[in-house]
Amino acid sequence: MKVIFKFFLVASLALILSSCQQAEKTAQAETKAPLVAEVMSKTSQSVMTPDDVLNNLMSGNDRYRSNKLTARDFPAQVSATTSGQFPKAIILSCVDSRVPVEMVFDQGVGDVFVARVAGNAENKDLLGSIEYAVGVAGSKLVMVMGHESCGAVKSAVDKLDVGSENVDNLLSQFEPAITGTEGERNSSDKAYLTNVVKANVSQTVKDIRSRSGIVKQLEDQGKISVVGAYYSLKDGSVKLVD
Ligand SMILES: [Zn+2]
């Protein structure tokens, strides 16, 4: 009799445990959002204003900072973008490995063009790329994004000399930002370095407007915007730079 009782007790406990686990699995499945497979289309790009695009990037940055990146179906997005692309923005960023641009703005395949060069200063090839993005591919926003503790800008402040014409040429692009920033030329002064990085962003925005007729015209017509931004290595936030 005792044996039968024990058997029923164990069987009942096993049944209760199993139904609890099942309920937990069902709850997990219900809370898990489906993977996002949609990509930018000509229509979704054309209905966005430059402000919409900026807001979209900034809310993506909020999700990045709160560890709530969108779960995407990447193979589906790859497949959906094979025949064309309609990116909403072009972002000119530094090459720094701590600034993962698409992740910083929670963007998927086909969402944004990303142009990268150490210190995020423009040059003719980058201007051509920006003009292609806004003039041909229909992007609505040009963002120049500098970042905290930029090694390229720091090297220019320190007058780094590695005996390379290429490096000299790269670093020389930051001179206007350095000479235009008040303070002693000293990269260990964190506030000074931050001000130079921001001045370099503003200078690059100004240069893009003055050196590209296409960008200037589209911005004057209100079809695109050019903005500067600063990325914090400390908290992953992006803030606009005047
Ligand atoms: Zn950098």
Side-chain angles (χ1 to χ4, degrees), residues 93-96 98-99 117-120 146-153 197:
S93 164
C94 179
V95 296
D96 198 293
R98 299 164 295 178
V99 189
V117 64
N120 47 268
H147 68 95
E148 183 178 355
S149 304
C150 182
V153 174
V197 168

